């Protein structure tokens, strides 16, 4: 299955929660993280035997990862988060915008897609929030 | 006495005395040239049955003469010019023969669709800083505790413990200071709890689990939350194929607990894997093989608390270096036997052209009875059966010189009665076969050091799922004879893996335990070591140098603000100069060739029809004078019917990894 990993070798699966601790004075902004989107479970030999495409128009539409705010207008907002395929793009991509990670993705560790996540906290009140999440569009997997 | 020499001898020449004229002539008188004698067993004496006579003949000379005269007459000739005598009209009708062919192929592909989904969430905690709001009261800012995603750090004691060990649940203990007023203690059960530690400037999840046991302490008026990552329960819910892929483990009903499910299935699977399946601090599933890898952490004396180093070595009684395996494999070999049998009535010597009449006192059986006898041979099936008819009407002669006798019969009689029965029989036999592979998995290095120490034998049996009666009754089969050969190969591979795990596991019960607590000023001082089960750590102190596999760890924070991680490294050791290369293999099926005397013997192999129980079995087929028929099928050898057994013995070697573990007396 396709999922996030925390290391480039895709040996440690992302547990599902990206923990971020910010200082209320915003002095620790920004915080950068990298996750790796890949399918290694079904392709341990790294032979690119499975491909993933967007369900809306396979092979045409890009697969997009978007930032979703469960409580728009309160707490953290999506524009605190910038997604990019490279660290260099973090400075130029639009904050809060979705990230297109490709039209056709291939399985295997060598085809893992880096997803760089930059978080610039804008909340100054001490709090804990899980309102932001990363969501991927509907996809279709097929054999290559 | 001496003889006197003769004297006066005269030499006389030889002269013709008389001339003989001789001529030889042969006269061939008429004579008997061949005498044929016929012997008929003494009844009639030898006698002349024919005489060949030679007669002198004469030649008649016929002079040349006209034997025929050809007379030619000239007649009227009519010459017909060449002309068309017929016109063939051929119409070619359109006809095209099309062979069967595929006119369309349906290409069907099943893709997997996944609805839009959340890949991950961000849990953002904003901490107050001095001057910017109320500072966290009870806890130093190195630790955060979340209960159902709510930050409860300021309600918790700084004392926390997180413990993990190979193949076991990761546990955590947090002490909560509940406010005054009613408290629903049981409501804490099952709630998610996360503990984060700041390590190297980053917040890292040290525990992700669920409150298992909440305990209220009246003396301190605190609520202690004992939590678990529910490893076993969660593993039981994981997709089995994913776990197989992740670990490379094998499962078979033959070698492991039959029909195991959930957590039990995972335990069975892990018997075949030299490694550990655990959830990380953050709650992600992770598999780590026992093999020591490149160290994730390299620690030195300054990183280790000098009084918290202990060494533990495996005792000889814990060592296993040889495990016997026995895998029995049973199947049925299919035999097909055919036989031609027959019997006939006694014959008289009244014959005609080779066909003889039955003995006068012979009672003929009916054809129905004759055929029934063939069809009633137990265990055999009739392919063909023919009942011979009595001779046809005609003149039969009792010998050459006796007068012919007229034998009369009817078609109905000939159709009803039989003088012989001939049948081709077939029999299907399922012969039990048992092949036992005796395998010894050995660690020569360890045997060299400790001598042979046997572990518990592993014994498995794989029986065919073929019903032998189906073949014997119908001659049909739908499965291969050795229908479970592939399962046998898997079972042996699993058994060998189990044995290898037992052996290697017993050699890694050497432990180096230490406390990670860097001195002030060193990197990591005041922080925990973010190690995981299965990480490789290298430790070098003045006394101990070790490279091992993290089998246990415990993160502790104290009331005094101490933070440290206790680590227990498992280290594989054997001291031997023997060089070993793993050569595990699945041996071939040994051919059974010995009758199993302990097994129940097959029933009598001579099948006789028309014989009542208790009557001695006749040895040959016959039609008795009274018309009773006995047909005897041939015997089938015991080595084609009784169970055959065979054995083979094999020895395979495995190497014991040798990890660094030295102690130097200062």
């Amino acid at each position: 299955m396709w999922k996030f990993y925390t290391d480039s070798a895709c040996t440690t699966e992302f547990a599902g929660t990206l923990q971020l601790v910010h200082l209320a004075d915003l002095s620790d902004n920004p915080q950068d993280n990298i996750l790796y989107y890949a399918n290694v479970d079904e392709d341990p030999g790294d032979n690119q035997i499975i491909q993933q495409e967007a369900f809306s128009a396979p092979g045409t539409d890009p697969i997009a990862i978007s930032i979703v705010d469960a409580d728009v207008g309160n707490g953290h907002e999506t524009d605190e988060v910038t997604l990019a395929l490279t660290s260099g793009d973090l400075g130029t991509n639009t904050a809060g915008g979705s990230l297109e990670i490709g039209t056709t993705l291939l399985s295997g560790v060598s085809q893992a897609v880096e997803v760089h996540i930059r978080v610039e906290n804008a909340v100054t009140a001490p709090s804990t929030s899980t309102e932001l999440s990363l969501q991927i569009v509907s996809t279709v997997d097929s054999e290559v | 006495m001496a003889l006197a020499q003769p004297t006066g001898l005269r030499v006389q020449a030889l002269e013709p005395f008389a001339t003989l004229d001789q001529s030889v002539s042969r006269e061939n008188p008429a004579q008997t040239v061949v005498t044929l004698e016929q012997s008929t067993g003494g009844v009639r004496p030898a006698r002349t049955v024919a005489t060949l006579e030679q007669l002198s003949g004469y030649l008649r000379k016929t002079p040349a003469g006209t034997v025929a005269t050809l007379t030619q007459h000239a007649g009227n000739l009519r010459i017909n010019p060449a002309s068309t005598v017929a016109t063939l009209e051929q119409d070619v009708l359109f006809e095209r023969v099309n062979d069967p062919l595929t006119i369309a192929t349906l290409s069907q592909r099943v893709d997997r669709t996944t609805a839009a989904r959340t890949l991950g969430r961000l849990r953002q905690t904003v901490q107050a800083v001095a001057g910017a709001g109320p500072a966290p009261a009870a806890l130093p800012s190195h630790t955060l505790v979340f209960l159902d995603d709510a930050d409860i750090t300021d309600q918790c004691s700084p004392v926390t413990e997180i413990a993990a060990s190979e193949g076991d649940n990761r546990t955590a203990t947090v002490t909560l200071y509940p406010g005054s007023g009613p408290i629903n203690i049981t409501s804490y059960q099952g709630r998610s709890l996360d503990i984060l530690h700041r390590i190297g400037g980053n917040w890292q999840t040290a525990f992700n689990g669920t409150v298992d046991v909440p305990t209220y302490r009246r003396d301190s008026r605190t609520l202690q939350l004992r939590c678990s990552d529910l490893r076993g329960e969660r593993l039981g819910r994981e997709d089995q194929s994913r776990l197989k892929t992740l670990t490379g483990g094998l499962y078979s009903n033959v070698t492991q607990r039959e029909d195991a499910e959930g957590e039990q299935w995972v335990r069975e699977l892990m018997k075949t894997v030299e490694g550990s399946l655990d959830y990380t601090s953050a709650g992600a599933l992770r598999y780590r093989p026992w093999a020591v890898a490149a160290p994730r952490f390299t620690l030195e004396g300054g990183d280790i608390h000098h009084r918290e180093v202990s060494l533990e070595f495996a005792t000889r009684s814990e060592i296993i270096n040889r495990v016997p395996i026995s895998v029995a494999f049973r199947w049925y070999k299919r035999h097909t036997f055919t036989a031609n049998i027959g019997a006939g009535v006694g014959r008289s010597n009244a014959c005609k052209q080779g066909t003889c009449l039955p003995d006068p006192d012979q009672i003929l059986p009916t054809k129905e009875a004759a055929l029934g006898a063939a069809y009633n041979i137990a265990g055999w099936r009739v392919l063909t059966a023919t009942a011979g008819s009595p001779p046809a009407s005609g003149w039969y002669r009792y010998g050459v010189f006796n007068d012919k006798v007229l034998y009369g019969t009817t078609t109905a009689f000939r159709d009803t009665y039989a003088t012989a029965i001939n049948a081709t029989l077939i029999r299907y036999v399922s012969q039990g076969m048992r092949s036992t592979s005796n395998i010894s998995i050995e660690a020569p290095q360890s045997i060299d050091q400790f001598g042979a120490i046997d572990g518990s034998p592993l014994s498995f049996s794989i029986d065919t799922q073929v019903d032998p009666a189906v073949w014997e009754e119908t001659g049909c089969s739908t499965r291969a004879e050795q229908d479970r050969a592939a399962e046998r190969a898997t079972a042996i591979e699993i058994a060998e893996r189990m044995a290898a795990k037992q052996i290697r596991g017993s050699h890694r019960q050497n432990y180096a335990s230490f406390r990670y607590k860097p001195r002030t000023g060193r990197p990591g001082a005041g922080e925990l070591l973010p190690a995981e089960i299965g990480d490789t750590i290298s430790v070098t102190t003045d006394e101990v140098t070790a490279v091992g596999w993290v089998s246990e760890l415990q993160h502790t924070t104290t009331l005094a603000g101490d933070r440290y991680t206790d680590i227990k490294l498992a280290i594989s050791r054997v001291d031997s100069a023997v060089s070993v290369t793993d050569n595990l293999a699945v041996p071939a099926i040994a051919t059974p060739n010995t009758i199993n005397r302990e097994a129940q013997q097959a029933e009598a192999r001579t099948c006789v029809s028309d014989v009542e129980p208790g009557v001695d079995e006749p040895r040959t087929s016959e039609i008795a004078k009274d018309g009773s028929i006995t047909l005897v099928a041939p015997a089938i050898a015991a080595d084609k019917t009784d169970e055959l057994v065979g054995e083979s013995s094999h020895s395979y070697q495995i190497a014991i990894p040798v990890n660094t573990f030295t102690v130097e007396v200062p």
Side-chain angles (χ1 to χ4, degrees), chain B residues 460-475:
Chain B
F460 306 103
S461 178
I462 304 163
D463 285 356
T464 179
Q465 293 175 335
V466 171
D467 180 358
V470 172
W471 172 256
E472 296 193 335
E473 292 171 3
T474 67

PDB file of all heavy atoms in Angstrom, chain B residues 460-475:
ATOM      1  N   PHE B 460       7.168 -33.627  12.328  1.00  0.00           N
ATOM      2  CA  PHE B 460       5.942 -33.280  11.617  1.00  0.00           C
ATOM      3  C   PHE B 460       5.570 -34.403  10.657  1.00  0.00           C
ATOM      4  O   PHE B 460       6.431 -35.188  10.252  1.00  0.00           O
ATOM      5  CB  PHE B 460       6.133 -31.975  10.824  1.00  0.00           C
ATOM      6  CG  PHE B 460       6.619 -30.832  11.672  1.00  0.00           C
ATOM      7  CD1 PHE B 460       7.946 -30.430  11.618  1.00  0.00           C
ATOM      8  CD2 PHE B 460       5.750 -30.185  12.535  1.00  0.00           C
ATOM      9  CE1 PHE B 460       8.393 -29.399  12.409  1.00  0.00           C
ATOM     10  CE2 PHE B 460       6.199 -29.149  13.329  1.00  0.00           C
ATOM     11  CZ  PHE B 460       7.524 -28.746  13.271  1.00  0.00           C
ATOM     12  N   SER B 461       4.320 -34.446  10.348  1.00  0.00           N
ATOM     13  CA  SER B 461       3.842 -35.457   9.421  1.00  0.00           C
ATOM     14  C   SER B 461       2.887 -34.813   8.419  1.00  0.00           C
ATOM     15  O   SER B 461       2.024 -34.019   8.791  1.00  0.00           O
ATOM     16  CB  SER B 461       3.113 -36.571  10.186  1.00  0.00           C
ATOM     17  OG  SER B 461       2.611 -37.521   9.288  1.00  0.00           O
ATOM     18  N   ILE B 462       3.081 -35.153   7.191  1.00  0.00           N
ATOM     19  CA  ILE B 462       2.234 -34.596   6.124  1.00  0.00           C
ATOM     20  C   ILE B 462       1.575 -35.760   5.403  1.00  0.00           C
ATOM     21  O   ILE B 462       2.252 -36.549   4.740  1.00  0.00           O
ATOM     22  CB  ILE B 462       3.078 -33.769   5.139  1.00  0.00           C
ATOM     23  CG1 ILE B 462       3.825 -32.681   5.900  1.00  0.00           C
ATOM     24  CG2 ILE B 462       2.199 -33.168   4.051  1.00  0.00           C
ATOM     25  CD1 ILE B 462       4.962 -32.103   5.122  1.00  0.00           C
ATOM     26  N   ASP B 463       0.276 -35.865   5.559  1.00  0.00           N
ATOM     27  CA  ASP B 463      -0.472 -36.946   4.923  1.00  0.00           C
ATOM     28  C   ASP B 463      -1.174 -36.435   3.683  1.00  0.00           C
ATOM     29  O   ASP B 463      -1.665 -35.314   3.648  1.00  0.00           O
ATOM     30  CB  ASP B 463      -1.509 -37.517   5.900  1.00  0.00           C
ATOM     31  CG  ASP B 463      -0.851 -38.391   6.946  1.00  0.00           C
ATOM     32  OD1 ASP B 463       0.375 -38.594   6.845  1.00  0.00           O
ATOM     33  OD2 ASP B 463      -1.546 -38.849   7.860  1.00  0.00           O
ATOM     34  N   THR B 464      -1.232 -37.308   2.725  1.00  0.00           N
ATOM     35  CA  THR B 464      -1.924 -36.951   1.492  1.00  0.00           C
ATOM     36  C   THR B 464      -3.406 -36.686   1.763  1.00  0.00           C
ATOM     37  O   THR B 464      -3.982 -37.204   2.714  1.00  0.00           O
ATOM     38  CB  THR B 464      -1.791 -38.080   0.461  1.00  0.00           C
ATOM     39  OG1 THR B 464      -2.488 -37.706  -0.710  1.00  0.00           O
ATOM     40  CG2 THR B 464      -2.380 -39.379   0.990  1.00  0.00           C
ATOM     41  N   GLN B 465      -3.967 -35.862   0.923  1.00  0.00           N
ATOM     42  CA  GLN B 465      -5.408 -35.622   1.019  1.00  0.00           C
ATOM     43  C   GLN B 465      -6.168 -36.411  -0.047  1.00  0.00           C
ATOM     44  O   GLN B 465      -7.355 -36.208  -0.245  1.00  0.00           O
ATOM     45  CB  GLN B 465      -5.676 -34.118   0.867  1.00  0.00           C
ATOM     46  CG  GLN B 465      -5.125 -33.322   2.053  1.00  0.00           C
ATOM     47  CD  GLN B 465      -5.256 -31.837   1.878  1.00  0.00           C
ATOM     48  OE1 GLN B 465      -5.315 -31.344   0.760  1.00  0.00           O
ATOM     49  NE2 GLN B 465      -5.293 -31.105   2.971  1.00  0.00           N
ATOM     50  N   VAL B 466      -5.446 -37.293  -0.711  1.00  0.00           N
ATOM     51  CA  VAL B 466      -6.088 -38.136  -1.728  1.00  0.00           C
ATOM     52  C   VAL B 466      -6.802 -39.290  -1.037  1.00  0.00           C
ATOM     53  O   VAL B 466      -6.242 -39.936  -0.143  1.00  0.00           O
ATOM     54  CB  VAL B 466      -5.026 -38.685  -2.710  1.00  0.00           C
ATOM     55  CG1 VAL B 466      -5.641 -39.730  -3.618  1.00  0.00           C
ATOM     56  CG2 VAL B 466      -4.429 -37.548  -3.507  1.00  0.00           C
ATOM     57  N   ASP B 467      -8.036 -39.544  -1.422  1.00  0.00           N
ATOM     58  CA  ASP B 467      -8.785 -40.679  -0.899  1.00  0.00           C
ATOM     59  C   ASP B 467      -8.389 -41.906  -1.717  1.00  0.00           C
ATOM     60  O   ASP B 467      -8.695 -41.987  -2.909  1.00  0.00           O
ATOM     61  CB  ASP B 467     -10.285 -40.410  -1.027  1.00  0.00           C
ATOM     62  CG  ASP B 467     -11.118 -41.577  -0.479  1.00  0.00           C
ATOM     63  OD1 ASP B 467     -10.518 -42.580  -0.055  1.00  0.00           O
ATOM     64  OD2 ASP B 467     -12.351 -41.460  -0.490  1.00  0.00           O
ATOM     65  N   PRO B 468      -7.706 -42.882  -1.104  1.00  0.00           N
ATOM     66  CA  PRO B 468      -7.219 -44.022  -1.897  1.00  0.00           C
ATOM     67  C   PRO B 468      -8.358 -44.839  -2.492  1.00  0.00           C
ATOM     68  O   PRO B 468      -8.190 -45.490  -3.509  1.00  0.00           O
ATOM     69  CB  PRO B 468      -6.421 -44.849  -0.883  1.00  0.00           C
ATOM     70  CG  PRO B 468      -6.962 -44.440   0.454  1.00  0.00           C
ATOM     71  CD  PRO B 468      -7.379 -43.018   0.319  1.00  0.00           C
ATOM     72  N   ALA B 469      -9.516 -44.796  -1.850  1.00  0.00           N
ATOM     73  CA  ALA B 469     -10.629 -45.619  -2.334  1.00  0.00           C
ATOM     74  C   ALA B 469     -11.120 -45.152  -3.702  1.00  0.00           C
ATOM     75  O   ALA B 469     -11.604 -45.953  -4.497  1.00  0.00           O
ATOM     76  CB  ALA B 469     -11.778 -45.570  -1.330  1.00  0.00           C
ATOM     77  N   VAL B 470     -10.979 -43.877  -3.983  1.00  0.00           N
ATOM     78  CA  VAL B 470     -11.464 -43.366  -5.260  1.00  0.00           C
ATOM     79  C   VAL B 470     -10.718 -44.032  -6.410  1.00  0.00           C
ATOM     80  O   VAL B 470     -11.302 -44.476  -7.396  1.00  0.00           O
ATOM     81  CB  VAL B 470     -11.313 -41.833  -5.319  1.00  0.00           C
ATOM     82  CG1 VAL B 470     -11.642 -41.318  -6.711  1.00  0.00           C
ATOM     83  CG2 VAL B 470     -12.214 -41.179  -4.283  1.00  0.00           C
ATOM     84  N   TRP B 471      -9.404 -44.098  -6.269  1.00  0.00           N
ATOM     85  CA  TRP B 471      -8.608 -44.741  -7.315  1.00  0.00           C
ATOM     86  C   TRP B 471      -8.928 -46.228  -7.402  1.00  0.00           C
ATOM     87  O   TRP B 471      -9.088 -46.787  -8.492  1.00  0.00           O
ATOM     88  CB  TRP B 471      -7.121 -44.528  -7.032  1.00  0.00           C
ATOM     89  CG  TRP B 471      -6.224 -45.312  -7.935  1.00  0.00           C
ATOM     90  CD1 TRP B 471      -5.535 -46.444  -7.640  1.00  0.00           C
ATOM     91  CD2 TRP B 471      -5.936 -45.034  -9.307  1.00  0.00           C
ATOM     92  NE1 TRP B 471      -4.841 -46.881  -8.723  1.00  0.00           N
ATOM     93  CE2 TRP B 471      -5.065 -46.041  -9.773  1.00  0.00           C
ATOM     94  CE3 TRP B 471      -6.342 -44.032 -10.183  1.00  0.00           C
ATOM     95  CZ2 TRP B 471      -4.583 -46.064 -11.074  1.00  0.00           C
ATOM     96  CZ3 TRP B 471      -5.859 -44.063 -11.491  1.00  0.00           C
ATOM     97  CH2 TRP B 471      -4.995 -45.076 -11.920  1.00  0.00           C
ATOM     98  N   GLU B 472      -9.021 -46.882  -6.259  1.00  0.00           N
ATOM     99  CA  GLU B 472      -9.228 -48.317  -6.272  1.00  0.00           C
ATOM    100  C   GLU B 472     -10.607 -48.679  -6.815  1.00  0.00           C
ATOM    101  O   GLU B 472     -10.795 -49.741  -7.388  1.00  0.00           O
ATOM    102  CB  GLU B 472      -9.039 -48.888  -4.867  1.00  0.00           C
ATOM    103  CG  GLU B 472      -7.601 -48.702  -4.366  1.00  0.00           C
ATOM    104  CD  GLU B 472      -7.305 -49.525  -3.143  1.00  0.00           C
ATOM    105  OE1 GLU B 472      -8.254 -49.845  -2.419  1.00  0.00           O
ATOM    106  OE2 GLU B 472      -6.113 -49.825  -2.918  1.00  0.00           O
ATOM    107  N   GLU B 473     -11.546 -47.787  -6.626  1.00  0.00           N
ATOM    108  CA  GLU B 473     -12.905 -48.099  -7.082  1.00  0.00           C
ATOM    109  C   GLU B 473     -13.173 -47.640  -8.512  1.00  0.00           C
ATOM    110  O   GLU B 473     -13.985 -48.228  -9.213  1.00  0.00           O
ATOM    111  CB  GLU B 473     -13.923 -47.449  -6.140  1.00  0.00           C
ATOM    112  CG  GLU B 473     -13.922 -48.076  -4.745  1.00  0.00           C
ATOM    113  CD  GLU B 473     -14.767 -47.273  -3.766  1.00  0.00           C
ATOM    114  OE1 GLU B 473     -15.383 -46.281  -4.194  1.00  0.00           O
ATOM    115  OE2 GLU B 473     -14.761 -47.646  -2.588  1.00  0.00           O
ATOM    116  N   THR B 474     -12.501 -46.592  -8.914  1.00  0.00           N
ATOM    117  CA  THR B 474     -12.842 -46.024 -10.225  1.00  0.00           C
ATOM    118  C   THR B 474     -11.674 -45.950 -11.191  1.00  0.00           C
ATOM    119  O   THR B 474     -11.882 -45.798 -12.397  1.00  0.00           O
ATOM    120  CB  THR B 474     -13.401 -44.601 -10.062  1.00  0.00           C
ATOM    121  OG1 THR B 474     -12.340 -43.759  -9.587  1.00  0.00           O
ATOM    122  CG2 THR B 474     -14.548 -44.575  -9.075  1.00  0.00           C
ATOM    123  N   GLY B 475     -10.457 -46.020 -10.672  1.00  0.00           N
ATOM    124  CA  GLY B 475      -9.307 -45.830 -11.553  1.00  0.00           C
ATOM    125  C   GLY B 475      -9.151 -44.387 -11.988  1.00  0.00           C
ATOM    126  O   GLY B 475      -8.414 -44.094 -12.926  1.00  0.00           O
TER     127      GLY B 475
END
